[in-house]
Structure formats: structure tokens, C-alpha cells
């Protein structure tokens, strides 16, 4: 049997794949592990995001001789105060718009079907159908059927809906405790990781962990701040043009904006649907608001907030998002870029360590 380095690496991969295969066959052992990971993933993910948001404040207060525990409690009180303020300021508006949207959903679906039927009668569309065998009626039927089925599914699966709400409540109950210990003892985690490395590699290990921390914190803090600014600008713009459900549409755009490149496009689709039902003039107004907001975000806000800390080429980001979207859906789109940033840091420093080791061997 060959004993070269290449074949030893191949044997290692085969052994890993064999372990995975055997694991899939022993479901009663590995199923609890899968459930455990699924249960803890979202609370720790949300806790990690909040950790990078609140950590600078904790460090700022701690440097000014405020005890860390007291700093965390002050941040919690401030966060609760801001939440209450937002609840009382935009809560009634959001509740009214959600109620109106739920009540008007059947009429909205009928209006979309009517607009698509009108589009089918258009002379240019009719010519396109004749030449390209493109059936607008078929697309109209599929879109309206999908919307109707989605509404019916929400209405008939009350138990599943209640289960989702319960899980969300459990996440929001456990996240404050997870976040508290992250803020209080977060500095101990890198030290624990470094203890697993040989003494001579700990300096480079510290550098890797520091760069990973910078990559994650710069991305999370910057992306959330940019998304909030975009959501605020769109809400103001939607109020100016007078589109319905302005707050809901702005919130959707704010959350989807965390996805690079594709997020702004996804976020404007609901606004365009509402605008199409309203009038062609409203469609133009929505597009103008979107273009203005994206120009301000791309040329003013993002360069100041995000900078070029991640140093990832746009074509690379698009490729990553295409693959991540196919593999992991919406969650894959959200996590793809920060995960890639961390893996890039690890790969670069691993390559650096290999080169240092080779140089040392040549000197000896």
C-alpha cells in the first residue's frame, strides 16, 4: 500500500467519510446530538451577534473603572428602554399596518391576478408569447395559486404557528443569559483555544484569533448599522411617496439588507408588488426611492462604516451567495460572507505557518 504524503491525506479523508457514513446508520446515537445542535444554534447565533454589538460599550465602560457586571446590567437597562420606546412609538403603526395587510390579503391577491391578466392583453407581451412561447397566464395562475396556498397554509397550520412562536419566545428568554456570560467571560474563550496549541505556536494562534475577531466584529457591527440606516431611509421615502404598509416594507428591506448584493433586491420586491397594485406611477416612485437609498448607502454610509476591512472581491461575494443560497437557503445567504471571512483568515495564517515551518526546516 502506498505510504506517500498524498495517499496518507487520502486515507484520512476516507476515514472521516467512513465515520460520517457509520454515524448516519446509528441514528439513535447521533440523533440527540443533531437535536442538541439545532436547539442551541439560533440562541447562540443571536447571542453572538449581540455580543459583538454590545462588547464595545462594555469595554468602554470597563476602561472607565465601571465593573463589568454593572456595565452589562446598564446595557440591558438601556436596551430595554430603547425597546420600550420603539414599542410605544412604532408599535401602534406596525399593528395597524399588519392588521390592514391581513384583512386586505385576498383583495391584494385578486388585484395581482387582475394586473397579470391585463399584462397578458398587452400587445408587446402578446407578440413575445407568440415568438418565445411565453405564457403570462400560466405564470399568473402559478403566482396567485402560490399566494393563495400560502395564506391557506398559515390559516390551517395553527399548531405549527404556535410551535414557532413558542420557539421564538424560548430563544428570546435564553439569549439574555447566554449574552450575559459571553460579555462577562468572553475573553476566556481565546485563552482556552490557545491552551490546545504548542507553546511555540501560541503567538501565531493569538494573531489568527485576533484577526478572526476583527473580521467578525467589523462585518456584524457594520452590516447591522448599514441595514438600520437603509431601513430608516426607505421608511422616510415610503412615507413621502405615500405607499401603503410603509413600515412593514421598510422593516422587510432592513432585514434583507444584511445579505450582500442580493438583499436590497429581495427587500424591494414586496414594495414593488404593493406599488404595482396601486398604480404605475407608484412603481416609478418606489424605484426612485430605492435608487436614492442605495446610492446613499453605497457611496456614503457603507464606505464610512464598513470600509474595506473584509477585503473580499464583489465577484467572490456573488459566487459565495449563489452557492450558499442553493445549499442553505436564506440562512446560508446570511451566514455565507462572515463564515467565508473567518475561513479566509484561518487559511491565510495556516499558509503563513506552513511557510514559516518550511523556511525553518531549510535553515536547519
Amino acid at each position: 500500500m502506498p505510504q506517500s504524503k498524498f495517499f496518507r491525506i487520502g486515507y484520512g479523508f476516507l476515514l472521516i467519510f467512513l465515520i460520517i457514513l457509520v454515524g448516519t446508520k446509528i441514528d439513535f446515537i447521533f440523533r440527540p446530538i443533531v437535536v442538541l445542535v439545532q436547539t442551541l444554534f439560533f440562541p447562540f447565533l443571536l447571542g453572538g451577534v449581540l455580543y459583538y454589538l454590545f462588547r464595545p460599550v462594555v469595554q468602554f465602560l470597563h476602561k472607565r473603572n465601571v465593573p463589568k457586571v454593572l456595565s452589562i446590567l446598564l446595557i440591558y437597562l438601556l436596551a430595554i428602554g430603547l425597546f420600550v420606546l420603539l414599542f410605544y412609538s412604532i408599535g401602534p403603526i406596525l399593528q395597524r399596518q399588519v392588521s390592514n395587510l391581513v384583512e386586505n390579503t385576498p383583495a391584494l391577491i385578486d388585484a395581482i391576478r387582475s394586473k397579470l391578466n391585463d399584462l397578458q392583453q398587452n400587445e408587446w407581451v402578446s407578440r413575445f408569447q407568440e415568438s418565445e412561447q411565453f405564457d403570462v397566464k400560466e405564470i399568473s395562475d402559478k403566482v396567485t395559486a402560490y399566494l393563495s396556498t400560502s395564506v391557506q397554509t398559515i390559516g390551517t397550520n395553527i399548531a405549527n404557528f404556535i410551535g414557532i412562536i413558542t420557539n421564538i419566545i424560548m430563544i428570546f428568554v435564553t439569549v439574555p443569559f447566554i449574552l450575559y456570560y459571553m460579555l462577562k467571560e468572553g475573553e476566556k474563550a481565546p485563552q482556552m483555544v490557545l491552551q490546545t496549541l504548542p507553546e511555540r505556536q501560541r503567538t501565531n494562534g493569538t494573531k489568527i484569533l485576533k484577526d478572526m475577531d476583527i473580521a467578525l466584529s467589523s462585518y456584524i457591527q457594520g452590516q447591522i448599522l448599514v441595514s438600520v440606516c437603509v431601513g430608516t431611509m426607505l421608511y422616510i421615502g415610503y412615507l413621502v411617496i405615500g405607499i401603503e404598509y410603509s413600515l412593514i416594507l421598510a422593516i422587510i428591506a432592513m432585514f434583507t439588507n444584511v445579505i450582500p448584493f442580493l438583499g436590497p433586491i429581495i427587500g424591494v420586491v414586496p414594495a414593488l408588488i404593493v406599488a404595482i397594485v396601486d398604480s404605475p406611477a407608484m412603481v416609478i416612485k418606489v424605484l426612485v426611492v430605492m435608487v436614492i437609498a442605495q446610492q446613499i448607502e453605497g457611496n456614503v454610509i457603507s464606505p464610512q462604516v464598513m470600509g474595506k476591512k473584509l477585503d473580499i472581491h464583489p465577484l467572490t461575494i456573488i459566487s459565495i451567495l449563489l452557492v450558499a443560497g442553493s445549499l442553505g437557503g436564506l440562512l446560508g445567504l446570511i451566514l455565507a460572507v462572515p463564515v467565508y471571512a473567518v475561513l479566509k483568515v484561518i487559511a491565510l495564517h495556516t499558509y503563513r505557518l506552513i511557510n514559516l515551518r518550511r523556511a525553518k526546516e531549510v535553515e536547519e
Side-chain angles (χ1 to χ4, degrees), residues 55-71 74:
R55 185 181 63 174
V57 183
V58 173
Q59 293 175 342
F60 175 81
L61 294 175
H62 190 58
K63 289 179 180 178
R64 281 151 183 79
N65 299 323
V66 180
K68 186 171 288 188
V69 174
L70 181 59
S71 301
L74 289 174

Side-chain angles (χ1 to χ4, degrees), residues 52-217:
Y52 280 110
L53 288 178
F54 293 161
R55 185 181 63 174
V57 183
V58 173
Q59 293 175 342
F60 175 81
L61 294 175
H62 190 58
K63 289 179 180 178
R64 281 151 183 79
N65 299 323
V66 180
K68 186 171 288 188
V69 174
L70 181 59
S71 301
I72 297 171
L73 294 178
L74 289 174
I75 291 174
Y76 275 27
L77 290 175
L78 179 62
I80 293 172
L82 290 175
F83 179 79
V84 172
L85 180 62
L86 287 174
F87 178 79
Y88 280 103
S89 60
I90 69 174
I93 302 174
L94 184 61
Q95 182 182 6
R96 183 171 63 253
Q97 292 188 8
V98 170
S99 300
N100 292 338
L101 180 60
V102 172
E103 293 174 0
N104 297 331
T105 296
L108 188 62
I109 294 174
D110 291 338
I112 294 172
R113 182 186 291 113
S114 176
K115 293 291 182 180
L116 290 173
N117 289 334
D118 293 341
L119 180 64
Q120 186 181 11
Q121 305 303 322
N122 184 278
E123 180 183 356
W124 293 98
V125 175
S126 299
R127 292 180 180 178
F128 185 74
Q129 291 184 92
E130 292 175 0
S131 60
E132 301 291 339
Q133 299 181 351
F134 179 77
D135 193 353
V136 174
K137 184 178 185 303
E138 182 180 352
I139 295 177
S140 171
D141 293 339
K142 288 183 179 180
V143 170
T144 52
Y146 175 77
L147 293 174
S148 301
T149 304
S150 300
V151 173
Q152 294 173 1
T153 302
I154 294 174
T156 55
N157 291 282
I158 301 298
N160 292 337
F161 180 74
I162 293 175
I164 293 173
I165 295 298
T166 303
N167 290 334
I168 293 175
I169 293 174
M170 289 299 297
I171 288 174
F172 279 96
V173 169
T174 55
V175 162
F177 296 97
I178 295 173
L179 177 61
Y180 172 81
Y181 286 104
M182 282 184 172
L183 292 172
K184 184 174 179 291
E185 303 178 355
E187 292 80 5
K188 295 181 180 179
Q191 299 301 324
M192 294 174 61
V193 174
L194 293 175
Q195 293 298 324
T196 63
L197 298 177
E199 186 71 30
R200 65 181 184 277
Q201 300 291 356
R202 289 181 185 177
T203 302
N204 291 302
T206 302
K207 176 64 175 174
I208 293 173
L209 293 176
K210 183 178 179 180
D211 287 349
M212 288 171 55
D213 182 70
I214 293 173
L216 274 175
S217 62

